Amino acid sequence: METKKENIIDKYLNTRKKKVIAGCVAGVLVIGCAGAIILNTSSSKELVLASDEVKAEFGQRVSTNIADYLDANKSGDVDKIIKDTKEKDNLKYVTVTNKDEQGNVVSKEEKDYPKVGNYEINFTYKKEKQSVKVTVKDTTAPEIKAPDSIDVIQYTDLSTFNFGELLQATDYSDVKDWKIDTSKVDVNTIGTYDLKVTIQDKYKNKASKKLKVNIVQAPEVAEGEVAVTEVVTDENGNKKTVVTKKSSSEVSKNDAVASTSPVSNKGTVNSSSNSSVSKPTTNSGTSKPSGNNTSSSNSSNNSSSSKGDEHKHNYNIPITKTVHHDAVTKVVHHDAVTRQETYTVVDKEAYDEPVYETHVVCKVCGQDFGKGSEASLNAGDHSAITGHSYHSTKVQAGTKHHDAVTHQETKTVVVTPAYDETVVVKQAYDETVTTGYKCLCGATK
């Protein structure tokens, strides 16, 4: 009886023990799951970008603000991320040089758009890092502004005509000289002709425009005068040509002086683009250096006192000169680009060899009885009937083909020859240098 009670008590205690253990295990699992949830939450990304690549046209501003790249639906606390994210990039921005009417550099202005090239914007938030690749290309052709028609005096040599004064190109990139197609213009015959002008920027974006050329009769001139085609600017700021006459001493370098006899005309001529190209959003006004107001000081220094004091010089007017600096260049050598090419060399050509057999043949009629003993019997019967004699001789029974004998050889093929390229390290520029000062009276130092 005691033994039975002890067994019941042991069973009860074992059951409770199992429940306690199970409860402990369950507690461990709950804690473990909670840890897993916490771990999973802590490893999730908060800085998530909607795109990691930007393709921009040259002249467009590229944002470096994380707010413009952040994927708000997948990121964490957006306001906190925007506030605490650090940005670093290698964008290189365009610098535009502004010159006055004499071509002197008066200022340099950094624009808010990057140069053509490949860049990277890096964002860092806490320990997370994200990068955006930026590609800037120039695929936009220059914009041409030109008169619909121009007047040119008969017998004008178009190879020396200053078309660049009439044409205006707008482009973010540097451009090459104007290409003027004059092949359809007959300057020796009065009439209207088609002229095509073309300009291309450094990235090979090309623009063309057609205009009319009116070949007109030259005005009558007196002795000492010449007929010229002059480029002028109208009240709206547009360039146009005017056919007029001037005295020989008044002719400028921009005037096209007509000949009195026929001239030959080239198909295509070049015209400088230096004075006819502008960059969008560039300050086109003329900047002038500011100086001291010298009127009051000069008048006081140049006037005599009641005692007849001697004039005192005020050297406050700069004396300047323009110093030209040539471009700095270097020669970069480019090795040849080659590839290995395998080809087949024929040592012995393929050929067919004739194969012969000995046959029994009738000497008279040429009948071929074949070979072997049966052939001889057949030939004997033929001889008995016809009286013809026969003999054994070689007969071609077929051919044996022999393939060509070849081997493989390798040779080096030049894809691009080696060449030297002259690279401009620093562009040529003009610098205004102060060489001294002068007084209003003309004295210098």
Side-chain angles (χ1 to χ4, degrees):
M1 191 68 179
E2 287 290 325
T3 304
K4 189 175 182 180
K5 287 182 179 179
E6 287 175 1
N7 290 337
I8 292 171
I9 292 169
D10 289 341
K11 184 178 181 181
Y12 172 76
L13 290 174
N14 287 337
T15 302
R16 283 202 53 155
K17 185 178 179 182
K18 288 177 182 178
K19 286 182 179 179
V20 171
I21 293 171
C24 292
V25 172
V28 171
L29 288 174
V30 169
I31 294 169
C33 291
I37 292 169
I38 293 169
L39 180 62
N40 185 52
T41 303
S42 64
S43 63
S44 62
K45 290 184 178 180
E46 294 185 84
L47 182 64
V48 181
L49 304 185
S51 175
D52 61 353
E53 184 178 11
V54 172
K55 293 183 179 180
E57 182 67 19
F58 186 42
Q60 290 181 339
R61 178 179 171 274
V62 175
S63 173
T64 56
N65 190 343
I66 182 60
D68 294 327
Y69 299 92
L70 201 61
D71 189 335
N73 296 323
K74 297 180 181 179
S75 299
D77 187 340
V78 173
D79 293 337
K80 189 174 188 310
I81 292 173
I82 293 174
K83 180 182 176 182
D84 296 340
T85 296
K86 296 180 181 179
E87 180 274 337
K88 187 176 181 181
D89 61 73
N90 61 347
L91 296 174
K92 296 180 181 178
Y93 293 90
V94 171
T95 300
V96 174
T97 301
N98 298 317
K99 298 183 179 181
D100 61 18
E101 294 176 351
Q102 286 73 43
N104 300 318
V105 176
V106 294
S107 66
K108 291 186 177 181
E109 176 186 4
E110 184 175 87
K111 311 305 289 185
D112 61 352
Y113 52 87
K115 300 177 181 179
V116 172
N118 297 315
Y119 306 97
E120 190 169 274
I121 303 174
N122 296 303
F123 297 109
T124 303
Y125 174 71
K126 295 181 180 178
K127 293 184 178 181
E128 293 184 45
K129 292 184 179 180
Q130 295 286 358
S131 297
V132 176
K133 294 189 181 297
V134 179
T135 303
V136 180
K137 293 183 178 181
D138 186 354
T139 62
T140 304
E143 184 178 340
I144 297 176
K145 181 181 178 182
D148 293 329
S149 65
I150 60 174
D151 295 338
V152 178
I153 298 176
Q154 185 181 22
Y155 306 137
T156 298
D157 185 0
L158 294 185
S159 66
T160 60
F161 190 86
N162 191 7
F163 287 98
E165 282 291 307
L166 288 165
L167 307 173
Q168 182 71 31
T170 303
D171 197 271
Y172 283 100
S173 299
D174 295 333
V175 299
K176 299 180 180 180
D177 286 344
W178 293 96
K179 299 291 184 184
I180 318 295
D181 183 6
T182 62
S183 59
K184 296 182 179 179
V185 182
D186 182 2
V187 294
N188 301 314
T189 305
I190 294 173
T192 300
Y193 305 91
D194 291 326
L195 182 78
K196 182 180 179 181
V197 299
T198 304
I199 197 164
Q200 178 177 290
D201 65 23
K202 66 183 291 185
Y203 297 105
K204 297 184 179 181
N205 300 306
K206 186 183 294 184
S208 299
K209 185 177 179 65
K210 289 183 179 180
L211 54 147
K212 298 291 183 182
V213 175
N214 304 313
I215 303 300
V216 299
Q217 189 172 4
E220 292 185 6
V221 294
E223 185 176 354
E225 291 182 330
V226 291
V228 298
T229 302
E230 182 182 14
V231 178
V232 298
T233 305
D234 65 16
E235 63 274 14
N236 297 320
N238 299 317
K239 297 289 184 72
K240 64 178 183 179
T241 57
V242 174
V243 172
T244 185
K245 54 186 177 181
K246 291 184 177 182
S247 65
S248 300
S249 59
E250 293 176 341
V251 175
S252 72
K253 64 179 181 179
N254 292 328
D255 295 331
V257 180
S259 173
T260 56
S261 59
V263 295
S264 61
N265 208 26
K266 295 181 180 179
T268 303
V269 297
N270 294 342
S271 186
S272 174
S273 63
N274 291 337
S275 61
S276 61
V277 176
S278 63
K279 297 185 182 295
T281 70
T282 297
N283 178 16
S284 58
T286 302
S287 300
K288 296 181 180 179
S290 59
N292 295 326
N293 187 341
T294 61
S295 58
S296 60
S297 61
N298 286 335
S299 61
S300 62
N301 288 332
N302 287 304
S303 61
S304 299
S305 69
S306 59
K307 295 183 180 181
D309 292 338
E310 186 179 354
H311 166 68
K312 294 181 180 179
H313 296 299
N314 186 10
Y315 297 102
N316 59 0
I317 303 175
I319 302 172
T320 63
K321 70 175 182 178
T322 301
V323 178
H324 177 73
H325 299 268
D326 292 330
V328 179
T329 62
K330 68 177 181 179
V331 176
V332 178
H333 178 73
H334 299 268
D335 292 332
V337 178
T338 62
R339 71 168 187 268
Q340 296 298 310
E341 193 174 276
T342 302
Y343 63 100
T344 301
V345 177
V346 178
D347 299 316
K348 186 176 182 181
E349 297 288 347
Y351 67 96
D352 291 329
E353 178 186 5
V355 176
Y356 295 96
E357 293 179 350
T358 301
H359 286 196
V360 178
V361 179
C362 178
K363 291 182 178 181
V364 178
C365 66
Q367 183 175 347
D368 188 345
F369 297 100
K371 61 181 179 179
S373 57
E374 186 175 353
S376 299
L377 292 174
N378 292 335
D381 293 341
H382 175 74
S383 176
I385 296 170
T386 61
H388 296 170
S389 60
Y390 57 90
H391 67 131
S392 295
T393 185
K394 295 283 188 181
V395 176
Q396 184 174 347
T399 59
K400 181 180 180 182
H401 180 73
H402 297 268
D403 292 332
V405 179
T406 64
H407 71 276
Q408 299 293 312
E409 291 187 3
T410 302
K411 64 179 179 180
T412 300
V413 178
V414 178
V415 179
T416 303
Y419 66 97
D420 291 332
E421 178 186 10
T422 301
V423 178
V424 177
V425 178
K426 187 176 182 180
Q427 297 288 347
Y429 66 97
D430 292 332
E431 178 185 11
T432 301
V433 179
T434 300
T435 59
Y437 296 87
K438 67 180 179 180
C439 177
L440 194 62
C441 70
T444 61
K445 74 170 184 178

